Amino acid sequence: MEYITRKSMLYKTEAEHSDYTMNHVLGCSHGCKFPCYAFLMKKRFGQVKTYEDWCTPKIVSNTLELLDKEIPRLKDKIHSVHLCFTTDPFMYKVDEVIAMSLASIKKLNAAGISCRILTKGLLPAELAHMSKENECGITLISLNEDYRAQMEPNTSPYLARIAALKFLHEVGCKTWVCMEPYPTPNLVKQDLRTILDKISFVDKIIFGKMNYNKEITAYKGHKEFYNDCAAQVKEFCAEHGMDCYIKIGTET
Ligand code: SF4
């Protein structure tokens, strides 16, 4: 494992669902090829040189010290902290990242701050013993393992990812699924309803189209496709009493 240090950890964000975020790792072993927006940005600003460099995560070794300094100053301002926008807090089989993420969530919860967690790895069972105000989420865009191998090569297998989420739901945690970037049929042929049925237990679904990929615009009828998908997701959520959010730009 490689390490870096940083000067600050908690950042204000304009994101729709969390007012603060933290990114305690540079890079992400999952190596998504949609492409990954975080990788494109880090490459553009010279923090990462190559795809291989991106896939070799570097932990911010002073994460916990920074949180100890920043939490007392910010705790009355923060509603919730999102982990993470530019990396994955529970990188599949990367134990040091997982341990640092759990320790960070524990510290935030101890100060009365809830966390909004999103991963393509496996949500650890330890989250069951942390604040029930945390929102535990996975990204899920397919059930096709060949597609996963092609597009999110080092992430956790889909069914294992869902099982870890379901366990947390069963012990009373809030759960959610981010279905973004959802692929068009020229990338993978699949039935949206079959995927939705696997996650019918969650509290919330966020659905969004794929961006920054020329295969999408090459697919004739992509606008109608995403309009139909969004309608299906909304109907499914209404049927199951779940919250639903369609990302801006998905419906036209
Ligand atoms: S899991 Fe997220 S941060 Fe990691 S490579 Fe994939 S899209 Fe990028």
Side-chain angles (χ1 to χ4, degrees):
M1 179 58 64
E2 294 180 36
Y3 298 91
I4 54 170
T5 58
R6 287 212 175 124
K7 293 203 168 96
S8 55
M9 184 53 57
L10 294 166
Y11 295 91
K12 186 107 180 80
T13 160
E14 298 304 316
E16 290 126 311
H17 308 282
S18 296
D19 51 352
Y20 276 78
T21 184
M22 60 177 281
N23 296 292
H24 52 298
V25 185
L26 175 63
C28 180
S29 61
H30 289 162
C32 300
K33 297 182 174 175
F34 305 117
C36 166
Y37 182 72
F39 167 54
L40 295 181
M41 288 300 108
K42 296 287 177 191
K43 198 167 166 223
R44 184 168 161 195
F45 293 107
Q47 288 168 274
V48 163
K49 289 190 184 68
T50 61
Y51 174 77
E52 290 67 31
D53 192 15
W54 172 254
C55 293
T56 308
K58 294 156 192 74
I59 293 191
V60 178
S61 60
N62 59 337
T63 296
L64 300 179
E65 291 85 336
L66 289 171
L67 288 178
D68 283 337
K69 257 199 266 174
E70 295 173 13
I71 288 173
R73 182 165 49 84
L74 295 170
K75 72 175 181 185
D76 294 334
K77 293 186 191 160
I78 300 177
H79 172 64
S80 85
V81 173
H82 181 90
L83 286 87
C84 303
F85 283 123
T86 66
T87 186
D88 192 308
F90 294 116
M91 272 172 227
Y92 188 46
K93 296 186 174 170
V94 185
D95 292 343
E96 286 180 68
V97 170
I98 295 168
M100 186 66 96
S101 300
L102 284 172
S104 302
I105 295 167
K106 205 171 163 189
K107 257 189 204 303
L108 290 161
N109 286 172
I113 301 168
S114 63
C115 295
R116 190 165 186 271
I117 301 151
L118 183 62
T119 187
K120 290 191 181 90
L122 299 180
L123 288 161
E126 286 91 329
L127 289 168
H129 308 296
M130 298 191 180
S131 169
K132 291 290 190 288
E133 290 306 308
N134 293 333
E135 295 175 69
C136 303
I138 59 167
T139 301
L140 187 75
I141 50 167
S142 182
L143 295 172
N144 183 321
E145 284 293 316
D146 292 335
Y147 184 67
R148 184 178 69 79
Q150 183 196 339
M151 299 301 269
E152 344 176 283
N154 305 314
T155 59
S156 64
Y158 291 133
L159 294 184
R161 203 182 302 179
I162 297 169
L165 183 71
K166 194 163 193 194
F167 167 77
L168 292 174
H169 161 75
E170 283 167 355
V171 296
C173 297
K174 294 183 192 174
T175 54
W176 64 291
V177 171
C178 176
M179 302 185 80
E180 186 193 30
Y182 193 78
T184 43
N186 55 329
L187 290 167
V188 59
K189 287 202 186 345
Q190 57 184 6
D191 176 34
L192 175 57
R193 178 71 196 212
T194 308
I195 304 171
L196 291 169
D197 282 339
K198 288 273 183 216
I199 51 169
S200 60
F201 59 89
V202 302
D203 300 301
K204 180 172 187 169
I205 294 177
I206 291 182
F207 182 85
K209 71 195 272 282
M210 189 178 277
N211 295 302
Y212 318 109
N213 187 319
K214 55 182 185 306
E215 295 295 328
I216 301 302
T217 38
Y219 179 69
K220 278 197 183 118
H222 63 276
K223 289 186 180 170
E224 294 77 7
F225 173 75
Y226 281 123
N227 283 340
D228 286 352
C229 289
Q232 261 195 74
V233 173
K234 284 195 248 183
E235 196 183 317
F236 184 86
C237 290
E239 267 172 32
H240 291 80
M242 298 169 179
D243 289 339
C244 179
Y245 181 77
I246 307 296
K247 283 280 195 83
I248 294 164
T250 299
E251 292 172 293
T252 45

